[in-house]
Amino acid sequence: MILKPSFSLPTTATTLLSPCSPHQLNTLFFTHRSRRLISLSRLNSSFSQRRFSLPVAASGNNVFTSPEISKTFDFSSEEKIYKWWESQGYFKPNFDQGGGSPFVIPMPPPNVTGSLHMGHAMFVTLEDIMIRFNRMNGRPTLWLPGTDHAGIATQLVVERMLASEGIKRVDLGRDEFTKRVWEWKEKYGGTITNQIKRLGASCDWSRERFTLDEQLSRAVNEAFVKLHDKGLIYQGSYMVNWSPNLQTAVSDLEVEYSEEPGFLYHIKYRVAGSPDFLTIATTRPETLFGDVAIAVHPEDDRYSKYVGQTAIVPMTYGRHVPIISDKYVDKDFGTGVLKISPGHDHNDYLLARKLGLPILNVMNKDGTLNDVAGLFCGLDRFEVREKLWADLEETGLALKKEPHTLRVPRSQRGGEVIEPLVSKQWFVHMDPLAEKALLAVEKKELTIIPERFEKIYNHWLTNIKDWCISRQLWWGHRIPVWYVVGKDCEEDYIVARNAEEALEKAHEKYGLDVEIYQDPDVLDTWFSSSLWPFSTLGWPDVSAKDFNNFYPTNMLETGHDILFFWVARMVMMGIEFTGTVPFSHVYLHGLIRDSEGRKMSKSLGNVIDPLDTIKDFGTDALRFTIALGTAGQDLNLSTERLTANKAFTNKLWNAGKFVLQSLPSLSDASAWENLLALKLDKEETLLSLPLPECWAVSKLHILIGSVTASYGKLFFGDVGRETYDFFWSDFADWYIEASKSRLYGSGGNSVSVVSQAVLLYVFENILKLLHPFMPFVTEELWQALPYRKEALIVSPWPQNSLPRNIESIKRFENLQALTRAIRNVRAEYSVEPVKRISASVVGSAEVVEYISKEKEVLALLSRLDLSSVHFTNAPPGDANLSVHVVASEGLEAYLPLAAMVDISSEVQRISKRLSKMQTEYDALVTRLNSPKFVEKAPEEVVRGVREKAEEVEEKIKLTKARLDFLNSTTLVSQ
C-alpha cells in the first residue's frame, strides 16, 4: 500500500519552503493594516539572516547541513553521518545511563562472499530499528555483527579465481589453497560489511566476529568434543545430498527444487519363471542398476498374485529382486509398480531401512556410474540415461517415454543436479536436543513471532532427522578427529580439542611410538553458526565479561525460511551448552518480492539492488518502505512505494525548514527564554494552550503512547503508518498551516512564542519517533535544531503517558470539519484559489465561542475574507442566497454565492456541462436498448456500459439540482 496524505495541501511546494505564501501574507496583513503592517521583503530578509549553531558534539566537523541551506536532504551525506556516529562511540553499549537490563541482538552473519541484497536490507532495517529504539530508551544496547566463512561458497569463489589462472585446487595442496582463501578473505571479505554499514546498521563493530576466528574455532571444537562425549555425535554411512561437482555432502538448505520438463520412462521387468511382465514408471532409469526390490500396494488387486515372487532387473544379466508389497506405494502414480533403489532416492532409502533391504550404490562421487552398472561404468549419469533407454528400446523392454514435469533438486551454489547418495559422514543425534528445544517453547521460555510459526517449529523438531555435519571441503572448521596410522579408522579414532590434546590421548592409549593424522573433512557451516549467539560472547569461557553482561540475548531476528536450519539449531545448542535458551524472542520476517509478488531472481530479471535503490531514493526511504511490512509476511517492493517514501523524506525536510525559519533568532534571548519556559509535557501548560496548539500537542502525546506500545510489541508497520499519518496529515497539513496565523497574524509576540514552542516540541518528538526507521534525515534535522545537547541517536525517548486534552481534540476536529466543508464548496463551484470569500458560521453558543477565537486560523485554512467572517447562533438573512454546509452536529456555515462566483456565468457553464452529460447518457441508453448489443457483446462489456449509464444519470441529477439552486438564487436576488 502506498501511503498518501488524506488530502492535498492547500499550499504549493513553494509554500513550505517559505513561512507562508505572499498572497496569504498580503491578505492577512491587509485586513489588519490598522494594527500591523509588515513588508514582505523585510520579512523574507529576516528569515535569511537566521542561522542556528549546531550541537556541541557536531559543531565544526562539516558533517551536517541545515535545511535552511540545502533545498533537499542530500543522500551523499549519509556516509558522513554514519562515520560520525561510529567515531563518537554511539554504537557501543552504554552502562552509565541506568536504563535497565542490556538489549542484545546477534546479527545473522552474512556470507563473507556475499553482496548486499534485499534480504540483507530487510534484516538490517528491522534489527537496527529494535536497536535504536532500545538505545534511546536508555538500555545498554549491543548489536553483535559478524560474517560467516561460508564453506562451499567461499571455496567455489577461490577455485574459480584460481581456474582463471590455470590452477587447480588439488595442484596447490590443502595448506597452500587455504592460505590463498585467507588472502582472498582479507582482500574482499569486508565488502558485505561495508555495504551493511551503508544501510545504517548501528552495530558495535569493535566486537565484529568471523566464524573462523580463533576464539570461535575453539568454541566449535569444544562443542564437537562435548557432543561426542555424550554420545550425540557419531560416524556412519547414510543417505545425504551429494554434490558431484563440489564433491561434498550439502545441507537441505543448500538444495533448491525446481519444476523442469522431463520424461516418465515406462520399463518392463520380467517376472522370474513367468511370461508376465511388470511395468514400472520412473524418471531416472539409470538407477535401475541399484534396484533391490519391486514394490506394489498390498490392496492393488492387479499385482497381488506376484507378491512373494521375484523380478529380473533389465540389463543386469538376470539379477533377481523380490516383489514386495507396502502401503508406501501410490497405486495411482504411473503403473502402480515402484522400483526400489535405496542408494539413490531418499524415500526408497527409508523404505529399505524399514524393511531390511540391502543398499546398492551404483554412483561414483563425481556422478559417473561405478562397476555395478557393467558396460555403463565410467559414464556420466545423464549420458547413461539416454544410452540405457536406447538399449531398452532395442531389447523390447522399453514400453514408452512420455513428457513429465520433474521436481529437480539443484545445488544452491553450483546449480548442478544433486544426487541422493549413501556416504560415510559425521552426524549429530538430534532427538535428545530437540526435546529440550520443544520444551522451551512450551514453557514460554522462547517466544516466536509471529506465533503461527510455533506450529511449524514444533512440527519440524518433532519429526527431526539426524544432522549430517561433515563436508568434503578444505575451507572451514576441520573436524576435530584424529586417526592413528595403521589402525581401523571406524574403530580407532581420537576426538580432541586440538592436535596437542589428540597426540596426548594417542600416547596414553597406544604408547609413545604412534603417528596420528586429522580427518580431512570440515564441519557444516551451520554447525559453527548454531553456536553464534554465545560463542561470539566468549563461550566456552563463561567467565568472559561479554558473556556475563550480555547472555542470554534478547532477540534473534531473521527470515522465516531458515527457522529450522539455523534458529532451531541455535536453540538446541544454546540449551545444551549454556543451560538456557540463547535468546528470549525470535522475530521472523518474510521475503521481499517484486511489485507483482514474484520471488526476485536473476532469471526473471526482477532483482532490485539495495545500493542502486539507495542512490535513487536514499537509505531512509528504503528502510521506511521495508519496515512497513507485517512480521512473517512477504513484502512486495515497488518503485511507487519507494517514490512515495522519498517524498515523505522531502516532506520531513521541508517541515524542518519551516520550523527553523519560524523560530526566533538566537540573538533574541528574551524570546528564547519565554519559548523554553513552556513545558509542554506538563498538564497545566497543555490546558493553557489555544485550541490548535492544545490539539497538536494532545495528538502528539497520544501518538507517543501508541507508537511506544507498538515498538514494544514489534508492530513496526503500525509504528510507521501511525507516525506517517500524524506527521503528514496532522502536523504538516493542519498545524503548520494553522501556525502561520500565529506567526504572521495579529496576535502579537506572546501568541507567536506559543506557536514556535509547539512547532519545535512536536517536530523534535516526531524526529525521535521516526529515528529508528529513518536515522539519517532525522539526525541531520535534529542537528540543525537549536539547543540540542546530544545526538539524536542517543537522545532519550519521549516519556509515555503524557497529558492530553480530549475535549480540545474534539473541538479542533469540528474546526477541521468546517474547513473541509468550505474547501469542498470552493472546489465544487471552481472558486479561484486566490479569491477570499465571506462566511457566516452558525452554531450553539459554546461552539461559536471556541470557533470564533480561532477566526484567523479558520480564515487562513479556508481562504476566507477575515473581515467578512461572522459568527451567529441563527442563519443569516441572506441564507437563501448562500450555499449551506453542515460541518458537524451544531456547526454550520452559509457561504454567499454571489461572493464566490458570477451566477449568470456559472449557470451558463453548468448548463453546457449538463447538455454534454445528457448526450452521453442518451448514447449509453441507446446501446443498452439495442437487443443486438445486449445479446452479442461480452457480459462484462454490457455490465460496464450499464454501470457507466447509472453513474452519468446520478451526475445529471446532482447537476440539475445545482442548476435549480443557481436559478432560484438569481430569482431571489432579482
Side-chain angles (χ1 to χ4, degrees), residues 903-931:
I903 296 178
S904 297
S905 299
E906 186 71 3
V907 167
Q908 291 179 6
R909 186 181 71 83
I910 292 180
S911 297
K912 288 180 181 179
R913 185 197 298 175
L914 182 60
S915 177
K916 288 182 179 180
M917 287 181 183
Q918 190 65 52
T919 301
E920 181 184 8
Y921 178 72
D922 292 343
L924 293 168
V925 171
T926 299
R927 293 182 72 187
L928 292 171
N929 289 336
S930 169

Side-chain angles (χ1 to χ4, degrees), residues 776-787:
F776 293 108
V777 68
T778 53
E779 185 72 77
E780 185 96 297
L781 288 166
W782 178 269
Q783 295 290 342
L785 298 176
Y787 297 106

Side-chain angles (χ1 to χ4, degrees), residues 269-277 305-306 309-310 312:
Y269 282 56
R270 182 182 295 278
V271 178
S274 166
D276 295 344
F277 287 89
K305 65 180 179 179
Y306 299 116
Q309 300 184 47
T310 60
I312 301 172

Side-chain angles (χ1 to χ4, degrees), residues 753-800:
V753 166
V754 171
S755 183
Q756 290 164 341
V758 170
L759 283 169
L760 181 59
Y761 177 74
V762 174
F763 188 67
E764 69 179 11
N765 277 287
I766 288 172
L767 295 182
K768 288 185 177 185
L769 298 180
L770 282 174
H771 179 73
F773 280 71
M774 310 173 77
F776 293 108
V777 68
T778 53
E779 185 72 77
E780 185 96 297
L781 288 166
W782 178 269
Q783 295 290 342
L785 298 176
Y787 297 106
R788 304 305 101 189
K789 295 182 180 179
E790 68 280 299
L792 179 57
I793 188 175
V794 291
S795 67
W797 189 256
Q799 294 179 17
N800 213 345

Side-chain angles (χ1 to χ4, degrees), residues 134-155:
N134 281 279
R135 183 186 291 123
M136 293 175 74
N137 273 276
R139 297 178 69 176
T141 305
L142 174 61
W143 189 7
L144 272 168
T147 49
D148 192 294
H149 65 277
I152 292 177
T154 308
Q155 182 159 317

